[in-house]
């Protein structure tokens, strides 16, 4: 039990962060508004989860101008991809363990 | 995307709560110290997660005396079992979606 729980990564615990990482695993880069629409989060909520993932160095941020408008895009770092995969493996283990007990 | 994320239940998000519910899905009743040892949590941390799950009516608490010692045991409510199974199904969906994209 303890073993696979240890591999569950607190950085990815919340639904919002699972969602953000899932999007960034497929899309190479995603801008703030696309994430917001896809995950149906408020600006503040999304921003705070993105900041936490950035501080953990699981994602990187790029700021640029598109015409005169600033645009912020996000992409998963290699460490973030690796860590998220381990997290999903741990969740899978948890699910399998629960299913065996049915 | 949004669809299966909606079924991820905030009440079960944390590693501690995933652990508590996993134990209670197998054991009919578990006392506080067994949970504490199994999940390697501090008293305060475990107590606060148990209280949250009790408030959500996902687990029930029973207090009794064993000899002169008070003992508190916990068991999953039918609603808790149902909700935890749905949560695991949603996590499985998330994992499958991520794997398909590899």
């Amino acid at each position: 039990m303890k073993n696979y729980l240890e591999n569950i990564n607190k950085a990815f615990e919340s639904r919002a962060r699972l969602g953000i990482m899932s999007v960034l695993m497929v899309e190479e880069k995603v801008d703030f508004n696309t994430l917001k629409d896809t995950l149906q989060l408020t600006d503040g909520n999304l921003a705070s989860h993105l900041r936490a993932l950035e501080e953990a160095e699981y994602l990187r941020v790029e700021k640029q101008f598109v015409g005169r408008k600033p645009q912020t895009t996000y992409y998963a770092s290699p460490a973030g991809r690796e860590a998220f995969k381990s997290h999903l493996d741990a969740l899978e283990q948890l699910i399998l363990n629960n299913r065996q007990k049915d």
Side-chain angles (χ1 to χ4, degrees), chain A:
Chain A
M1 153 71 74
K2 210 184 134 255
N3 195 31
Y4 64 77
L5 282 180
E6 266 171 9
N7 295 321
I8 288 179
N9 189 334
K10 281 190 92 65
F12 302 130
E13 260 174 17
S14 77
R15 174 162 60 182
R17 296 193 198 167
L18 289 171
I20 291 167
M21 290 307 295
S22 295
V23 173
L24 294 180
M25 294 295 275
V26 226
E27 312 286 343
E28 205 197 323
K29 287 183 183 184
V30 182
D31 66 276
F32 190 89
N33 286 326
T34 305
L35 274 175
K36 198 183 125 180
D37 292 344
T38 310
L39 303 170
Q40 309 255 305
L41 295 170
T42 62
D43 281 38
N45 197 1
L46 176 57
S48 104
H49 287 298
L50 287 169
R51 200 159 42 237
L53 290 169
E54 190 191 351
E55 277 163 15
E57 301 191 352
Y58 290 156
L59 58 81
R60 301 225 177 99
V61 184
E62 214 174 78
K63 292 181 194 223
Q64 58 190 358
F65 277 82
V66 177
R68 295 187 172 188
K69 281 178 76 179
Q71 195 185 45
T72 309
T73 53
Y74 300 86
Y75 56 99
S77 69
R81 288 180 176 271
E82 209 47 59
F84 192 60
K85 280 185 187 165
S86 301
H87 181 69
L88 294 183
D89 288 344
L91 288 178
E92 186 176 40
Q93 215 41 59
L94 179 129
I95 293 166
L96 289 173
N97 269 43
N98 271 281
R99 295 268 159 83
Q100 275 166 7
K101 298 160 188 169
D102 275 352

